[in-house]
Structures are given as C-alpha cells and as structure tokens.
Amino acid sequence: MPLLSKANFFSGAEDTIKVALIGCGGRGTGAAMQACLTNQNVKLVAMADAFRDRIDNCYKALTADDIDGSGGTKNIKGRIDVPEERKYTGFDGYKKAMAHADVVILTTPPGFRPIHFEEAVNQGKQIFMEKPVATDPAGIQKVLAAALIAKQKKLNVVVGLQRHYQNSYRALYAKKDLIGDITSAQAWWNNDGVWVNPRKYNQTEMEYQMRNWYYFNWLCGDHITEQHIHNIDVINWFKGAYPVKAQGMGGRQVRKGKDHGEIYDHHYVEFHYADGSILNSQCRHIPGTMSKVDELISGTKGKIFCGAANIKDHTGKVLFQFDKQANKDDPYQTEHDELFAAIAKGEYKFADAENGAKSTMTSILGRMATYSGQVMDWDEDGRYPIAMPGKTKYF
C-alpha cells in the first residue's frame, strides 16, 4: 500500500502508484498502457466508462500477451489489477473509480473533462488528462477554477498536449531566440478526417451521440478544438501569450449528412495577439485534399520550421537543425514517464491545466469566430464570450 504524505506524495519509489482510468476508448487504452509502461511501480486498479463494452475491450487489450503486436511477449498483465467490483459503468462511475486511486487518467470525450477534472482535484488525486480540456467557455471557467485548487494542493497535472514533451519541440523552443521577435505564425491540421460510427438500431439519441461523439459540439468542440488545438497550442507556447481576438470562416463542404452531426469540415482563423502578431490557422477534414500537420513561426531574424525541426534565417541559412533520426522519442510515453517519475519522487513538478484551458479556449474562440462570421474578443480581464439568446448570431 502506498504511504501518502500530507502533500499527496509517495514516501519512496517502492510504493505502488495506483491508477484509475476514466474513459476506456482508444485513447484511454493507450494512456493506461503508457502509464503501465513507465519505470515506476504502477498498477491500474479501477476503470470507469459509460459503456461496459468499452471497459471489456480496454481490459482485454491491456491484459494481452503481446501489447504491441510485434509477435513478442511484451505485456503489462502484472500491472493490471481490476477485478469486476472495480469496473464501473454509467455517468457516475468516475467518482467511485477515482476513490481507489492515487492517480487518475481522464480520457473520456472532452465534454465530460471539466466535471471529471474538478472531481479528481476535489479528491486530491494526481492527474493526467487528455486535450482538449473542455468544449465551451463555461467548461473552461470550471477547469481554470479547479486548476487553482490543484496548485494549492500541489497536485501534478499533465495535459496531453504532447508536443511539450517532444524532444524536437523542446529543442526548438530552447533556441527560439534565434529568430528574434515573433511577428507571425502559421498552423495546419489538414487531412482526410476521422472515423464515423453510424447509428445502430434501437440506440437512444444519447448513446448514439456519445458513441459518435466526434461530431457533436457538446462532446467534441469541433475538430478545431479536438485536434487542431495541438498546433494552436504550439504557437501560444512559443509566443508565451494567448490571442486577444479572432475572425475567420468555415463550413461543411463534404460533411452534409446526419452521420456527421453538427461540426464543420474546414476552419480558417486569423488569431490576433496583443503585440500585433497574427497566427493564420487552418484545419480541414476533406478526403482527397492536401494533407499537412505542421507549424511555422516567423520572426524578425528568421523562421522556425517545426515539422522539419530546424531554424533558418531569412536568407535560408540553417541556424539550427535538430536530428530527429538520432533523437527518436515517443512524446506520448514521455509525458507519462515524467509524470510518474515525479510522483514517485514526491515532487510537485507539473501544472499544465491552466495552459491546457487557455489553449483550448483559443481553439473555442476560433470556432466561435468561424460559426458566427464575427470578430470575437477574448477579454483581458478573464471573461469569455458567452452566447446570449436574441443577441448572439451564429448562423
């Protein structure tokens, strides 16, 4: 049994770190696997999901003889200790699962993230939560409030914006002064799109939307928030700031059927920062079009090419090149390695929630701009634009 100090830390590396998984879909399965692959003494002790079949599929994957499908014998079966009585279904199962653990992994559809994060903080748990951390401004406010309490309690919080844990991005960030003052940036997440789960016979509307969650804003926030947040967050990180306003355009070119819910298939947004610099952001889910997932940051002295992991001056001369082949890494694994290492050592090291909330809000600001066709302001005093019946014009 782990010995917890008053600061919610462990007395030494020999203590077992007990983990609860909240949300047992594909990302939850991957995150639980990464937690159990760390060098620390980690055990998964509880699972929760709205649907039992997701728990069963996740449990089967985690207890497989060969978890990476390589034909070898790499497995984490010895780190999975989840008997039937600690597998919880339904909307309130997360509270019960958290009670068994020292660390919680929050990987449900994003719409549930604010209430799950708030509960984890209230229970005094260390936290890994996936991005985005909310889907609307009210959820952002809840996360920011809970983030303050997490800091007061010295609870480590890591958010799955994994570029912060990727070697090439860390190296570029350390050298960013080579380009001088940042004047503009571009960010892309353009590809064919993601899965669709068609409606099944006798499904309730709630079950259908939850199983096809990517296409409903209350659960997903649109792909500008669920996916393109990664690229937007990189620009915020390198800028050390968040936009103050945004304007843009978007629509549904190919997502016209009811299987695609209500989200757009393309967004183009101009994000304006307080210093006058602009991020031109684009994301698109249209099959057969150009694919590009990358960021470009321009400064007074040069440019950072994030995908190529290099920095050049304005003549094209390479000022810095990170060798990705010689420094291969898995940032998804690194974020768990570093989180669990800190917990095992009794360190308070990670406070990602505030940035996670503000980068999520940046993406929501962009969505509100494309939906409304208006210039949307992010007030400096921390108030966020809230829809007002009879006044807000989104369509």
Side-chain angles (χ1 to χ4, degrees):
M1 296 293 289
L3 301 174
L4 294 176
S5 72
K6 291 182 180 179
N8 297 292
F9 290 123
F10 297 85
S11 61
E14 293 181 359
D15 292 319
T16 301
I17 304 175
K18 296 184 292 185
V19 177
L21 175 62
I22 314 300
C24 300
R27 182 73 280 267
T29 303
M33 199 170 289
Q34 286 143 6
C36 291
L37 285 170
T38 67
N39 291 328
Q40 313 310 318
N41 188 7
V42 174
K43 278 200 172 183
L44 182 69
V45 299
M47 303 168 72
D49 196 282
F51 304 113
R52 178 59 197 238
D53 63 292
R54 285 185 177 164
I55 292 177
D56 292 341
N57 291 337
C58 178
Y59 184 84
K60 182 179 179 180
L62 295 175
T63 55
D65 291 328
D66 178 19
I67 61 171
D68 62 4
S70 64
T73 58
K74 186 176 183 180
N75 65 69
I76 53 172
K77 291 193 294 184
R79 293 190 166 194
I80 310 302
D81 180 19
V82 190
E84 283 299 307
E85 62 269 21
R86 294 203 295 269
K87 296 176 182 177
Y88 298 99
T89 57
F91 285 107
D92 62 348
Y94 69 99
K95 294 182 180 180
K96 300 171 184 176
M98 286 180 187
H100 297 287
D102 308 302
V103 183
V104 297
I105 295 174
L106 304 180
T107 47
T108 62
F112 297 106
R113 196 89 72 244
I115 60 172
H116 291 172
F117 178 59
E118 181 182 59
E119 178 65 22
V121 171
N122 288 342
Q123 289 196 26
K125 308 301 182 182
Q126 315 285 335
I127 299 161
F128 172 84
M129 63 174 168
E130 260 304 338
K131 57 73 213 167
V133 302
T135 59
D136 56 33
I140 295 295
Q141 290 174 330
K142 185 180 287 289
V143 171
L144 286 171
L148 288 175
I149 299 172
K151 285 183 178 180
Q152 293 166 4
K153 292 184 174 182
K154 291 183 166 41
L155 302 174
N156 283 294
V157 181
V158 167
V159 173
L161 292 164
Q162 78 280 349
R163 284 163 173 77
H164 289 262
Y165 296 86
Q166 186 169 336
N167 287 342
S168 62
Y169 281 87
R170 285 176 163 179
L172 291 171
Y173 183 81
K175 298 285 188 178
K176 67 185 178 70
D177 288 346
L178 289 174
I179 69 166
D181 296 330
I182 295 174
T183 56
S184 66
Q186 294 172 263
W188 303 265
W189 193 303
N190 295 332
N191 62 11
D192 288 354
V194 299
W195 47 265
V196 176
N197 291 324
R199 189 186 299 271
K200 294 183 178 180
Y201 178 71
N202 273 348
Q203 270 187 332
T204 65
E205 183 64 23
M206 177 62 79
E207 181 179 358
Y208 167 66
Q209 290 195 20
M210 289 180 64
R211 289 189 183 273
N212 205 36
W213 61 268
Y214 204 97
Y215 297 94
F216 295 94
N217 277 328
W218 72 278
L219 287 165
C220 166
D222 208 318
H223 65 106
I224 189 174
T225 293
E226 202 284 330
Q227 194 175 62
H228 190 40
I229 182 179
H230 283 297
N231 317 104
I232 292 170
D233 172 67
V234 167
I235 309 305
N236 288 344
W237 175 23
F238 279 60
K239 282 283 298 176
Y242 304 92
V244 295
K245 63 180 179 180
Q247 72 85 24
M249 63 185 75
R252 285 165 67 97
Q253 181 71 25
V254 298
R255 286 175 174 160
K256 297 180 179 179
K258 56 187 179 181
D259 277 352
H260 292 103
E262 59 194 350
I263 71 171
Y264 280 7
D265 53 35
H266 64 282
H267 300 263
Y268 178 88
V269 183
E270 245 182 31
F271 290 102
H272 293 252
Y273 293 84
D275 64 0
S277 59
I278 294 174
L279 160 61
N280 288 297
S281 152
Q282 53 180 283
C283 55
R284 180 179 62 225
H285 281 178
I286 298 179
T289 60
M290 178 197 75
S291 293
K292 185 170 187 176
V293 180
D294 203 350
E295 306 89 22
L296 169 65
I297 304 170
S298 299
T300 53
K301 297 179 181 179
K303 296 179 179 180
I304 300 173
F305 298 84
C306 293
N310 64 37
I311 299 174
K312 297 180 180 180
D313 68 16
H314 290 306
T315 70
K317 178 184 177 182
V318 176
L319 304 177
F320 172 73
Q321 176 68 62
F322 180 82
D323 189 342
K324 292 201 290 186
Q325 288 300 315
N327 296 278
K328 289 183 179 180
D329 67 330
D330 179 357
Y332 294 94
Q333 186 61 52
T334 300
E335 59 193 0
H336 288 273
D337 289 343
E338 295 188 4
L339 170 62
F340 283 92
I343 292 170
K345 293 176 183 177
E347 296 178 345
Y348 173 54
K349 190 174 180 181
F350 300 102
D352 291 354
E354 182 177 351
N355 174 68
K358 290 184 177 180
S359 279
T360 299
M361 185 60 214
T362 304
S363 70
I364 293 171
L365 189 71
R367 184 189 75 214
M368 295 172 81
T370 61
Y371 281 11
S372 68
Q374 305 298 319
V375 176
M376 305 299 293
D377 292 320
W378 182 342
D379 295 335
E380 292 181 359
D381 64 359
R383 293 175 297 179
Y384 306 107
I386 306 295
M388 182 64 66
K391 295 184 179 180
T392 303
K393 296 180 181 179
Y394 280 97
F395 302 103

